[in-house]
Amino acid sequence: MFRSPVARQAVKALNINTRPAAVTAASRPAVANTFFRGLSSTAPRANDEAEKAKKDPLLSATTKAPEGTIDAEGRFARVDESLQIEYPDDEHMPRSPVVQGRGGMHFKRTLAQFSLENKVTLVTGGARGLGLVMAQSIVASGSDLAIVDLNKAEAEEQAQKLVEQFRKENPGLEQMPNVTAHYADVADPTSVNEAISEVIAKHGKIDNLVTSAGFTENFDAISYPHDRLQKLWGVNVDGTYLFATGVAKHLMERKVPGSIVMIGSMSGAIVNVPQPQAPYNAAKAAVRQLAASFAVEWAGHDIRVNCISPGYMLTALTRKILDENPELRDKWISLIPVGKMGTPEDLMGPVTFLLSDAAKYITGADIRVDGGYTLT
């Protein structure tokens, strides 16, 4: 119980009055130069870590391994600086197949707001990987498409395959989607502006944008070649910035609403292990923040900007990396709550949703498609 101030003062006075009288110099024993002090004691400390663990149930519950052993605690949460994975050049880049049987006619009822009909969508990095699969979902949802890629020949080939697949899955449909291919070095402002102008010339307008161009490499931070670091940031960050601002300017000039989806990564929110990739993680964090900042800045123009942050996805390139580094697969999957890696098709729904009117009140969001990786 709490005592009142008056009660506390009374107790204090009582304690003072009942203390033994102070020992005076005259009443001390006649021992010359003797110093007296009250006795004190402390609990003896454990002599070693094992002794501490026996007395502390929390310490004894640890699985800490002896110093120097391989199975040290925390090893699955550390990077392996010896692991290096360099992004392959075009000649050694695995090809991405068009998804089969995913976007044709169907008879299940869905909301009309998910339709992208009468829209033109530009997808950067759309010739392969995640960009290609998302581009296919966009076409299947009714939008015309402009694939922009550094490899124009591959973009042209994939554009043709997308139309062929759409025709195969929609027999009897007279109007085919208009799918075009365009070149751009996304890190070069001049190249970006030329690509946007070319898309507008071919399609008459741009309504939506998906910035999927990007890549990662694995070097420890100290050893990362500076020229490659600049290239990585140029593609992932500058490319996203340049295309987003270019398309936003076009939408503002037309005074029409639009939707921009930036492809980030769960790496923008966590640190991947065991592969070291600090520059990529920082680049994807920048993409996520760009989406949030643009969402606020352009909200008054009715331009929505959102981010999708995929986790580990089994693209053709990821399969190649895992074939060459088989131990990575088990380490990655051990950290994913759903117990498996994602596939590019897992992004088809989220990107269509964010581009469509079904998400017309959503802006600045970051949708993580990672199997729960970032939750643990």
Side-chain angles (χ1 to χ4, degrees), residues 120 199-206 250 254:
V120 175
V199 171
I200 295 171
K202 288 283 184 72
H203 290 270
K205 62 174 183 174
I206 300 171
H250 166 68
R254 289 171 55 209

Side-chain angles (χ1 to χ4, degrees), residues 1-321:
M1 295 179 60
F2 293 98
R3 296 190 178 99
S4 67
V6 175
R8 287 200 300 270
Q9 290 176 5
V11 171
K12 184 177 180 182
L14 181 63
N15 290 339
I16 292 174
N17 292 334
T18 56
R19 287 175 185 161
V23 178
T24 62
S27 63
R28 289 187 186 128
V31 180
N33 300 323
T34 301
F35 176 73
F36 290 91
R37 56 179 285 178
L39 295 176
S40 63
S41 63
T42 59
R45 291 185 175 181
N47 294 328
D48 53 34
E49 293 295 323
E51 195 65 27
K52 285 182 182 180
K54 289 179 182 177
K55 296 184 178 182
D56 188 331
L58 294 179
L59 285 177
S60 64
T62 185
T63 58
K64 185 173 183 181
E67 292 268 343
T69 61
I70 296 176
D71 286 328
E73 278 187 349
R75 69 189 180 96
F76 290 117
R78 300 191 187 115
V79 299
D80 179 358
E81 293 185 354
S82 66
L83 181 62
Q84 292 189 0
I85 301 173
E86 188 172 317
Y87 191 73
D89 55 27
D90 258 6
E91 184 181 348
H92 299 94
M93 181 69 69
R95 303 300 294 270
S96 300
V98 170
V99 179
Q100 303 295 314
R102 297 283 179 170
M105 295 177 68
H106 61 87
F107 301 96
K108 292 182 180 179
R109 294 174 180 170
T110 56
L111 289 173
Q113 292 98 313
F114 284 97
S115 172
L116 298 179
E117 291 181 10
N118 302 317
K119 302 292 185 182
V120 175
T121 304
L122 188 161
V123 179
T124 68
R128 60 171 68 113
L130 301 181
L132 175 62
V133 176
M134 288 187 290
Q136 187 170 354
S137 71
I138 289 165
V139 169
S141 299
S143 177
D144 287 338
L145 175 69
I147 296 175
V148 176
D149 203 278
L150 189 64
N151 189 327
K152 188 178 180 182
E154 189 172 355
E156 290 172 340
E157 180 183 339
Q158 298 290 23
Q160 183 178 348
K161 287 182 177 179
L162 287 180
V163 174
E164 290 174 355
Q165 184 66 26
F166 186 88
R167 180 181 290 109
K168 191 180 301 181
E169 294 177 350
N170 295 272
L173 197 63
E174 294 183 2
Q175 186 174 355
M176 290 293 105
N178 183 15
V179 181
T180 58
H182 310 268
Y183 165 85
D185 176 354
V186 299
D188 176 23
T190 301
S191 182
V192 169
N193 290 334
E194 290 175 351
I196 291 175
S197 297
E198 185 177 288
V199 171
I200 295 171
K202 288 283 184 72
H203 290 270
K205 62 174 183 174
I206 300 171
D207 299 297
N208 299 323
L209 169 68
V210 178
T211 60
S212 186
F215 72 95
T216 183
E217 293 185 305
N218 302 116
F219 289 88
D220 69 281
I222 294 174
S223 303
Y224 204 120
H226 188 256
D227 60 331
R228 299 196 67 86
L229 181 148
Q230 288 181 307
K231 180 181 178 181
L232 182 142
W233 277 340
V235 173
N236 287 283
V237 182
D238 293 356
T240 298
Y241 185 96
L242 292 171
F243 263 98
T245 53
V247 170
K249 181 182 177 182
H250 166 68
L251 292 168
M252 291 175 191
E253 290 172 349
R254 289 171 55 209
K255 297 183 180 179
V256 296
S259 178
I260 297 174
V261 176
M262 299 179 176
I263 307 305
S265 170
M266 68 176 184
S267 304
I270 50 91
V271 176
N272 301 69
V273 290
Q275 69 276 22
Q277 52 184 50
Y280 177 78
N281 297 348
K284 288 305 185 179
V287 169
R288 186 179 57 165
Q289 183 61 18
L290 278 177
S293 300
F294 289 160
V296 174
E297 189 167 336
W298 300 337
H301 298 279
D302 204 8
I303 299 172
R304 297 184 297 106
V305 187
N306 291 288
C307 183
I308 294 177
S309 293
Y312 289 119
M313 295 286 165
L314 279 170
T315 62
L317 177 57
T318 305
R319 292 177 187 276
K320 179 177 184 293
I321 291 172

